[in-house]
């Protein structure tokens, strides 16, 4: 139980285009979802926290207009990187938590490469 | 704000031996959780072990155990009988405990320790 999927697992796009990454909790309802960014050989950096049906809370320094997060249902959150640039290339990881559990379950991550 | 410090960027151990990874944290919270996550080359984050701060007993999971020193704010991970599959990045993480059970607080991660198990 407690499986989280991400789609796509990798994506290559041209500079200036937008890319959407999906995060799904497959066998539980996720009250809260988190989006992280990870650069090579570095730790996970929290970008934002989203609760179903409400606006995401972004960490300081994260551009909310560039990284659009939608948590429309208890099983799906999306991260859209708008007008992507090469510096947005990174590994993006989502996690999800469920009611009565103080624990996060991680997706497998999405590697984004912007040319 | 909470901070998590892992002072060992890299470590290595021989197969079948024991290794200890260090982690210290700083917080003014009294109720919280501490975690060790493993990130193998696949980059999937895997929960290794979890400790609830109000529990005095150190958590254990098979070959993995922790030494939780609350007063010293120290949370080290001991891996016994190291296996080649233990080669990975290991992240120590802190989570504040919510007063209700409605969901999860955010995780604060350390910078990680790269562990290599040598045959």
């Amino acid at each position: 139980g407690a499986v989280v999927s991400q789609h796509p697992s990798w994506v290559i796009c041209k500079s200036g285009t937008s890319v959407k990454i999906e995060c799904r909790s497959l066998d539980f309802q996720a009250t809260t979802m988190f989006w992280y960014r990870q650069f090579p050989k570095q730790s996970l950096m929290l970008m934002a926290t989203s609760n179903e049906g409400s606006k995401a809370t972004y960490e300081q320094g994260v551009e909310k207009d560039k990284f659009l997060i939608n948590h429309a249902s208890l099983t799906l959150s999306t991260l859209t990187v708008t007008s992507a640039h090469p510096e947005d290339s990174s590994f993006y990881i989502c996690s999800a938590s469920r009611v009565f559990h103080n624990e996060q379950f991680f997706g497998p991550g999405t590697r984004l490469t912007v040319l | 704000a909470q901070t998590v410090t892992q002072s060992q960027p890299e470590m290595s151990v021989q197969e079948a031996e024991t290794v200890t990874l260090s982690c210290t944290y700083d917080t003014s919270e009294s109720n919280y959780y501490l975690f060790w996550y493993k990130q193998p080359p696949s980059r999937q984050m895997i929960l290794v072990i979890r400790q609830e701060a109000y529990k005095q007993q150190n958590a254990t999971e098979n070959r993995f155990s922790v030494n939780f020193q609350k007063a010293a704010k120290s949370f080290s991970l001991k891996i016994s009988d190291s296996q080649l599959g233990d080669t990975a990045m290991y992240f120590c993480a802190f989570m504040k405990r919510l007063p209700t059970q409605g969901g999860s607080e955010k995780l604060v991660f350390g910078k990680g320790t790269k562990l290599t198990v040598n045959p």
Side-chain angles (χ1 to χ4, degrees):
Chain A
V3 178
V4 176
S5 71
Q6 275 185 247
H7 177 80
S9 56
W10 60 270
V11 57
I12 301 173
C13 69
K14 292 182 179 180
S15 186
T17 61
S18 295
V19 175
K20 181 184 284 188
I21 302 170
E22 292 186 349
C23 176
R24 292 182 185 273
S25 56
L26 298 185
D27 52 3
F28 67 98
Q29 293 186 326
T31 51
T32 308
M33 286 184 167
F34 303 84
W35 286 95
Y36 298 87
R37 184 173 181 177
Q38 186 180 33
F39 291 106
K41 300 184 179 181
Q42 293 190 22
S43 187
L44 282 71
M45 181 192 78
L46 179 66
M47 299 174 66
T49 302
S50 73
N51 293 293
E52 185 264 340
S54 59
K55 290 184 178 179
T57 301
Y58 290 80
E59 294 297 301
Q60 191 172 8
V62 177
E63 300 176 61
K64 59 182 68 176
D65 293 332
K66 179 160 190 65
F67 299 100
L68 300 179
I69 291 171
N70 184 286
H71 192 164
S73 76
L74 283 172
T75 58
L76 174 65
S77 177
T78 60
L79 167 67
T80 301
V81 183
T82 62
S83 186
H85 289 97
E87 57 266 29
D88 299 323
S89 298
S90 190
F91 193 67
Y92 292 88
I93 304 174
C94 74
S95 70
S97 66
R98 53 186 178 178
V99 180
F100 305 121
H101 288 78
N102 279 291
E103 184 177 340
Q104 294 182 24
F105 302 95
F106 286 84
T110 297
R111 181 180 302 279
L112 169 64
T113 302
V114 184
L115 302 176
Chain B
Q2 291 78 28
T3 59
V4 177
T5 302
Q6 293 178 251
S7 58
Q8 306 152 315
E10 294 191 34
M11 292 191 73
S12 62
V13 64
Q14 291 299 121
E15 195 174 7
E17 293 187 349
T18 296
V19 64
T20 299
L21 308 184
S22 300
C23 173
T24 58
Y25 59 96
D26 189 26
T27 184
S28 58
E29 301 288 334
S30 56
N31 294 317
Y32 51 88
Y33 300 92
L34 294 164
F35 303 85
W36 278 98
Y37 284 92
K38 167 184 177 180
Q39 189 179 42
S42 67
R43 303 189 79 170
Q44 171 72 59
M45 294 290 285
I46 300 167
L47 177 64
V48 174
I49 202 164
R50 160 191 165 130
Q51 175 80 42
E52 299 178 38
Y54 68 88
K55 292 185 176 179
Q56 292 186 336
Q57 187 173 5
N58 289 324
T60 62
E61 286 288 341
N62 301 312
R63 298 183 294 108
F64 300 88
S65 62
V66 297
N67 183 0
F68 174 48
Q69 301 291 326
K70 191 172 184 179
K73 295 180 181 175
S74 171
F75 183 61
S76 61
L77 174 70
K78 186 172 81 171
I79 305 174
S80 304
D81 186 24
S82 297
Q83 300 176 0
L84 296 178
D86 295 333
T87 294
M89 282 290 292
Y90 286 82
F91 293 101
C92 178
F94 172 101
M95 179 193 290
K96 189 169 62 174
R97 181 173 181 174
L98 285 176
T100 64
Q101 295 294 325
S104 171
E105 259 288 344
K106 61 183 180 182
L107 283 164
V108 177
F109 286 95
K111 291 189 174 182
T113 296
K114 182 180 179 182
L115 176 67
T116 302
V117 180
N118 298 309

